[in-house]
Amino acid sequence: MRILGLDPSKRSMGWALWSPGDQPASGVWELGSELTSRGTVFARVHENMMALHRLGEIEAVFYEDLVNIVPGSPVPTNKDSILLAAGIAGHIESFGEAMGFRIIRPVHQATWRRHFIGKMKRGTKSVDLKAYAMERCRQLGFRPTKHDQAEAIGVLDYACASLNIIPPWSASEVLRPALTI
């Protein structure tokens, strides 16, 4: 099963791809800036997912679900941010349906982080969580260049566990040691 993990955001999207017998691949797609239209961002999501799909059929995609996009939430947001975040998620799901993916699943960030990083104190700052994801990747032998890439690797790792697949980067771990936070 070829599995894709995604960490979407407006400016860039982390991605991580793996199937049994292959080496994992990961990176970051630059999607735009504050001046980029939503349509352009959605088109770039489509182009990049299609490029990976052409290399080998993807069967499952797991992506970080939308959080804190409602006005009044602790994270400041606006109508454009809400439309963009929802549109990216909708595009991921639509692409997966159109290409015949067997599994298309959003994952709450607390769920994949708890699996990948370990338990964290409530209220841990976002910047720290991103650093913990980078550190966990390094522990597993990955060398991400940006936190988006590290978080996509975390989503991919969670996807494998939820599908009862043991990837090579975690096969040697009897118990997944949590980071000291």
Side-chain angles (χ1 to χ4, degrees), residues 3 15-19 21-26 140-142 153 156 167-169:
I3 307 164
W15 63 273
L17 183 68
W18 177 75
S19 65
D22 289 340
Q23 291 295 317
S26 63
L140 294 172
F142 293 96
I153 292 167
L156 174 63
W169 59 87

Side-chain angles (χ1 to χ4, degrees), residues 37-104:
S37 73
R38 285 191 303 271
T40 299
V41 170
F42 302 153
R44 288 178 180 160
V45 170
H46 177 89
E47 290 166 1
N48 287 308
M49 288 181 73
M50 181 58 83
L52 286 181
H53 191 65
R54 284 185 179 135
L55 294 174
E57 289 191 15
I58 297 167
E59 296 177 71
V61 62
F62 286 66
Y63 67 94
E64 186 177 277
D65 200 3
L66 308 175
V67 292
N68 297 328
I69 64 164
V70 180
S73 67
V75 177
T77 193
N78 58 45
K79 176 184 168 188
D80 288 334
S81 295
I82 293 168
L83 291 172
L84 185 67
I88 290 172
H91 196 80
I92 292 167
E93 292 195 15
S94 174
F95 183 88
E97 285 292 334
M99 295 296 122
F101 293 6
R102 290 181 23 208
I103 300 166
I104 304 165

Side-chain angles (χ1 to χ4, degrees), residues 6-19:
L6 297 173
D7 176 43
S9 70
K10 178 179 182 173
R11 291 181 186 263
S12 62
M13 182 180 301
W15 63 273
L17 183 68
W18 177 75
S19 65

Side-chain angles (χ1 to χ4, degrees), residues 118-138:
K119 285 189 168 188
M120 296 148 282
K121 293 179 187 173
R122 187 168 177 80
T124 302
K125 295 182 183 203
S126 179
V127 68
D128 293 330
L129 293 170
K130 293 172 186 312
Y132 297 151
M134 295 283 286
E135 176 59 28
R136 182 65 177 141
C137 283
R138 285 190 282 277

